[in-house]
Amino acid sequence: AEQRSAAAPRDLEFFNGLGGFAADGREYVTILGPGQSTPAPWINVIANPDFGFQVATEGGGFTWSVNSRENQLTPWSNDPVSDRPGEVFYLRDDDTGDLWCPTALPIRDNNAAYVARHGWGYSRFEHSAHRITAELVQYVPLDDPIKISRLTLRNTSGRTRHLSATVYAEWVLGPSRTAAAPFVTTEIDTDTGAMFARNQWNAAFGARVAFADIRGRQTDWTGDRREFIGRNGTLESPAALASTAPFSNAVGAGLDPCAALRTTLVLPANASVEIVFFLGQAASADDARRLIARYRTKDLDAVLSEVGRHWDDVLGMVQIGRAHV
């Protein structure tokens, strides 16, 4: 795997051996080199008044809607050391079988560098492996209950690549996966092709509909965690990604619930592609359909710019206030 660091310690203020500030204090940049890890999860909390997520330097994190304790969409690890991810992006070279992640979890290349930028209202991850440069940026709009993840891949190998990208999320839809997972049902919405998930046994949030969508580009999927990971399997080496065999497209009740969505792509030499993943929850199925349709066609750069202006206003005023203390 080739090494690439998009930030150097000399470019960072107050560098402590792992990270430092950049962009005039608007970002905290962590560089995980070979064998390096943070002493505890260093996280960014990204939210609007009703929806949000947290994500650590190694990636992963968890997402919630309305209530971060009672209505987790994906699992909160609560592990101060390993911080097992409940959301994962996988990249696979379908010619060679090589499997890796754009983040340091769950597949870690101990000879490579991973850069994480926790910014105001977003987190950005940078990593290069197998001559593919990957950048993942994640954020939420100011008002809507949707997490936007944008994965940009650039082919630096000088030849055409046949790749697949798989997004994996473990459904919770309650206060914990142990308590809620047996009651989660999944389906593929016939209008949008997105995966919907519900927990109608959740007294407070049972009418709400969660969704996962690769902007309509998903080619196959499964709602069964056991199928994806495999019996006694791990997130580091999921059984469903051991070959190019299609997922079963299984959804329904009585499964160990997850959302695993895959899309395939042919990436010419020196070309780039963006893969967009939406994870969220709406008040009803119709609201979910409208939200998905709107964001599939929305200018996502404009959404991120709006988030940036908001936090510049909020935190800029805080800085000015401190300057006068």
Side-chain angles (χ1 to χ4, degrees):
E2 69 177 308
Q3 296 186 36
R4 173 180 176 268
S5 174
R10 65 178 178 274
D11 300 325
L12 303 178
E13 296 182 281
F14 305 105
F15 185 73
N16 60 14
L18 291 174
F21 291 96
D24 295 325
R26 288 176 170 80
E27 289 184 339
Y28 191 83
V29 182
T30 306
I31 307 169
L32 296 181
Q36 290 186 312
S37 61
T38 59
W42 290 1
I43 69 169
N44 197 6
V45 179
I46 300 170
N48 60 39
D50 297 310
F51 182 90
F53 68 95
Q54 71 176 39
V55 63
T57 295
E58 292 82 3
F62 94 100
T63 304
W64 71 85
S65 181
V66 184
N67 187 307
S68 61
R69 180 182 182 276
E70 297 297 322
N71 194 34
Q72 301 171 29
L73 302 190
T74 57
W76 176 45
S77 170
N78 198 25
D79 186 326
V81 180
S82 64
D83 194 33
R84 180 186 181 278
E87 303 174 23
V88 183
F89 287 80
Y90 293 97
L91 298 172
R92 188 180 192 276
D93 186 318
D94 288 336
D95 292 326
T96 66
D98 290 326
L99 183 68
W100 71 100
C101 295
T103 56
L105 284 177
I107 301 174
R108 176 78 182 264
D109 180 349
N110 289 321
N111 295 314
Y114 295 81
V115 178
R117 300 175 180 271
H118 288 329
W120 293 358
Y122 67 92
S123 281
R124 190 183 306 271
F125 303 89
E126 300 162 359
H127 175 59
S128 287
H130 307 283
R131 300 188 67 82
I132 298 291
T133 298
E135 179 184 275
L136 172 66
V137 60
Q138 299 181 302
Y139 54 98
V140 300
L142 295 182
D143 299 307
D144 289 321
I146 186 170
K147 177 181 180 180
I148 301 169
S149 298
R150 301 168 65 185
L151 176 62
T152 301
L153 306 177
R154 184 167 61 88
N155 179 4
T156 63
S157 66
R159 57 185 174 86
T160 297
R161 306 290 293 275
H162 299 87
L163 306 174
S164 58
T166 301
V167 186
Y168 169 82
E170 294 182 356
W171 293 121
V172 176
L173 307 188
S176 73
R177 184 170 167 84
T178 302
F183 308 106
V184 172
T185 62
T186 54
E187 65 177 282
I188 297 299
D189 178 54
T190 55
D191 289 348
T192 63
M195 182 180 290
F196 282 3
R198 297 174 172 86
N199 176 6
Q200 294 178 326
W201 291 88
N202 185 326
F205 305 103
R208 299 182 66 81
V209 177
F211 58 85
D213 174 53
I214 311 181
R215 216 176 193 178
R217 289 185 51 174
Q218 48 267 23
T219 54
D220 54 334
W221 52 83
T222 181
D224 186 354
R225 178 176 174 268
R226 178 170 172 174
E227 173 196 338
F228 183 76
I229 295 180
R231 184 178 177 86
N232 300 320
T234 65
L235 290 177
E236 290 82 358
S237 183
L241 297 182
S243 72
T244 56
F247 298 166
S248 69
N249 294 351
V251 289
L255 303 175
D256 185 355
C258 77
L261 310 176
R262 177 164 57 185
T263 186
T264 57
L265 53 134
V266 177
L267 192 58
N270 303 314
S272 298
V273 65
E274 182 181 72
I275 298 160
V276 179
F277 176 60
F278 298 134
L279 180 69
Q281 189 187 56
S284 68
D286 284 342
D287 285 344
R289 292 183 188 107
R290 284 190 288 267
L291 191 61
I292 291 167
R294 185 150 50 88
Y295 275 87
R296 280 180 176 178
T297 59
K298 205 170 181 65
D299 183 341
L300 300 182
D301 286 332
V303 176
L304 182 57
S305 294
E306 186 179 27
V307 170
R309 288 192 298 272
H310 168 79
W311 286 110
D312 274 345
D313 289 344
V314 172
L315 298 176
M317 287 189 290
V318 170
Q319 289 180 333
I320 291 170
R322 287 177 177 168
H324 288 289
V325 172

